[in-house]
């Protein structure tokens, strides 16, 4: 992979960084201003050779999302690296309606394997372009938040924003 662009925005949930490839597809996104934390979300073989700070096309969708258009993130192109099951899972995450989160069991059922709750959780955990692939919309069976790479406070805030 060649040069990627890194942009960090201020959001109500803190700094939000986007790493996009040369075609503008989001590779990684998350609530941090630390470039090393962004890169850590990618396997070393999938990391860009160089990173330049700049503007990304996806930033406008983030601004719109935080301005109240929670569907603004839906059409942003992403690029993910994974198994066929992970790829199917990430596509399924993008189909979860804002304000209507699923449980890990419900998400596993969406993948055609209701008993594969651990696999469903692993798909969420390995999701690099957070927000654009909304893994924050998956909850534990008891309705509690479960995990989130960028912190439970951010996950809670996103779910409240989407429920409004």
């Amino acid at each position: 992979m060649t040069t990627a662009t890194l942009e960090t925005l201020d959001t109500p949930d803190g700094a939000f960084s986007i790493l996009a490839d040369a075609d503008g597809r989001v590779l990684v996104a998350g609530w941090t201003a630390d470039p090393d934390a962004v890169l850590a979300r990618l396997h070393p073989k999938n990391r860009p050779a160089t990173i330049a700070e700049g503007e990304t096309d996806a930033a406008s969708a983030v601004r719109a999302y935080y301005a109240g258009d929670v569907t603004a993130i839906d059409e942003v192109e992403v690029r993910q690296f994974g198994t066929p099951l992970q790829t199917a899972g990430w596509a399924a995450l993008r189909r979860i309606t804002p304000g209507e989160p699923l449980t890990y069991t419900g998400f596993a059922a969406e993948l055609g394997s209701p008993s594969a709750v651990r696999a469903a959780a692993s798909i969420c955990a390995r999701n690099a372009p957070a927000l654009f692939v909304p893994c924050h919309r998956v909850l534990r069976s008891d309705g509690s938040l479960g995990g989130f790479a960028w912190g439970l406070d951010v996950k809670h805030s996103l779910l409240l924003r989407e429920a409004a």
Side-chain angles (χ1 to χ4, degrees), residues 7-18 29-35 37-38 62 66 131 150 154:
E7 181 174 10
T8 301
L9 311 166
D10 289 325
T11 75
D13 293 317
F16 182 80
S17 292
I18 302 165
W31 289 264
T32 182
D34 179 0
V38 172
V62 175
Y66 276 103
L131 186 61
W150 305 106
V154 171

Side-chain angles (χ1 to χ4, degrees), residues 13-110:
D13 293 317
F16 182 80
S17 292
I18 302 165
L19 182 67
D21 70 11
D23 295 321
R25 298 172 297 187
V26 176
L27 300 168
V28 180
W31 289 264
T32 182
D34 179 0
D36 291 333
V38 172
L39 279 179
R41 299 293 297 164
L42 286 177
H43 189 280
K45 72 177 182 180
N46 299 322
R47 292 181 185 160
T50 58
I51 297 174
E53 289 190 25
E55 294 182 5
T56 63
D57 293 338
S60 61
V62 175
R63 289 184 190 99
Y65 176 89
Y66 276 103
D69 180 2
V70 296
T71 62
I73 58 173
D74 293 351
E75 301 305 317
V76 172
E77 285 191 62
V78 299
R79 181 168 185 213
Q80 292 175 282
F81 307 92
T83 66
L85 179 61
Q86 289 169 329
T87 301
W90 294 324
L93 286 170
R94 295 195 92 176
R95 292 190 299 269
I96 300 173
T97 303
E100 299 178 17
L102 294 177
T103 63
Y104 287 105
T105 304
F107 180 51
E110 284 289 314

